[in-house]
Amino acid sequence: MEKIRATYKGTFGDFGALLRAHKKASHSRKHKPSVMKFEVDKLANVSELLDELIHKTYRIGSYKKFYVYEPKKREIQFLPYRDKVVEHVLCDEILNPFFQRRVIYDNCGCVIGKGWYFAIKRVRHHLRQMLIEREGRLNKDREIYCLKCDIKKYFPSMSHDVIRRGIGERIADKDIRDLFDMFVDSYATPDKYLEDNNIPRLSCNRGVPIGNQISQVLGYFFLDPMDKYIKERLRIKHYIRYMDDFIIFHHSKERLEEILSSIKKGLSGSLQLELNEKTQIVKVDKSIKFLGINFFIKRSTNSCVGTDSGGGYRIITRIQRRVIDKVKSFVKYANENPADVMIEHDYYRSAFSSYNGFFKRTSSYGKYHQIINTLDKDVHDVIFSKKERPRYSQMRRYLLTNFS
C-alpha cells in the first residue's frame, strides 16, 4: 500500500503553512465574527496555534450546529475557526494532494477541477456514448437502462474503523495519523439518530460531521474501493459518482441487476453501508433525473450524436421545478422587503450569483432571466450594482457584542 510521506514537523511546524491555511479558511468569510476576532491579532493567533501543534497540546474545540432545509432538512455541525485552520493544513497540504490523484476520473464530488457541473457533463457524455452504441447497425433494438443508487445516510453511517483502515493507515507519520484520528473521533452520530433511521450499531462509532473539511475528503474517497471494483473488476464503462449518488448506464437490465446485487454485498461487507429506497433501475426513454437536473433526450436532424441513418439526438438539461419555485419565492421576498435587501446587500448578491451560475450551465437559463426581470427596478439596482457595500448588520452586531 502506497503511503503519505509528509512529516508532522515539516507541515504543522511551518508558520507559513498555517498562515496560508488561515487565508484559505477566511476566504469569503471575513465578515463573520469568529474570523474577525482571529484576524484582529492574526500573527499572535497563528503563533499560538503553531506552538500548540509543535508541543502536541492542541485540542479540538466543541461543535456547534445549524440546519439547512434545501432540498431537505440537514443538520450541519462545525468547529471553531481555529480548528478550521488546522483542518485546512491537514487537507490542503497532506490529504488532498495524495488522494485526489488516486481516484477514478468519473469521481466528481469535492475534487479540485471537478464538481457538480463536471458531473453533469460526464452524464451527458456517457449518455451520448450509449446512444451511439444503440444506433449502431447491429444494435437498433437495444434499450438503455440506468441504475441510480444513493447511499443511506452516507455521512452519519461512516464507520470510524473503516476510515482508519482506508485512510488512516495510509499516513506514514504517526503524529499526523494521531491528529487525523483526533478529528475523526471528535464526532460520533448519536445513538438515537441511528435508532430512528434503522442504522445498525457497530463496535466502533459511526459518523462524520457534514460541516468539516475532512468530511469532504472522506466523501469522495471513502467509496473509492467500490469505484475501483465497478470499473476494474466489473468492467463497467458508463459509471459516474458524485459523493453518495452514483449512476450506471447499460443496455442490459439483467446485467444491472447483477451489478446492483454485487454493490449491495460489497457495501454491507467491507464498507458497512447500505443503499436507500431511492435506488432503482429505470429505462432511459425520454428523460432521466440526476443531481437536481432533468436530462431530456430529443431526436434532432442537427445531431449532437451522429448515426448511420443521418439522424441524431440532443441532450437537453433543465433545472428541476422545485429549484425554479425557490428562486421565484426568493424574488418575491426581495420585492416585498427592499429595506432588508439594502442592509443585507452582499447576501442577496451572492445568492443570486450562485443561482446564476447554477442556471447558466443548463437550458433553463432563459427561464432564470424571466424570473429576475420581475424584480423591482430599485431592488434590482441595489443587488446587481457594481459598487461594493459593507455588511453593516454583521459589522454592527460584532462591534456591539465585543466592544460595547
Side-chain angles (χ1 to χ4, degrees), residues 211-237:
N212 273 9
Q213 189 182 3
I214 286 178
S215 301
Q216 297 176 14
V217 179
L218 296 172
Y220 73 75
F221 197 76
F222 190 85
L223 292 176
D224 187 66
M226 182 192 73
D227 296 339
K228 302 287 177 59
Y229 175 77
I230 291 172
K231 297 291 283 186
E232 298 171 7
R233 293 284 298 278
L234 300 181
R235 310 295 292 177
I236 299 302
K237 181 179 179 182

Side-chain angles (χ1 to χ4, degrees), residues 256-267:
L256 286 180
E257 289 173 348
E258 293 174 3
I259 293 168
L260 177 58
S261 177
S262 298
I263 290 173
K264 286 181 176 179
K265 185 177 179 180
L267 286 174

Side-chain angles (χ1 to χ4, degrees), residues 241-255:
R241 180 167 73 87
Y242 186 89
M243 304 301 272
D244 61 329
D245 294 304
F246 55 97
I247 191 168
I248 299 173
F249 294 109
H250 204 278
H251 290 294
S252 170
K253 185 177 180 180
E254 291 73 21
R255 177 58 176 154

Side-chain angles (χ1 to χ4, degrees), residues 1-16:
M1 180 190 294
E2 191 176 359
K3 295 199 174 187
I4 300 172
R5 297 299 175 185
T7 62
Y8 185 88
K9 184 177 180 181
T11 307
F12 293 98
D14 181 6
F15 185 87

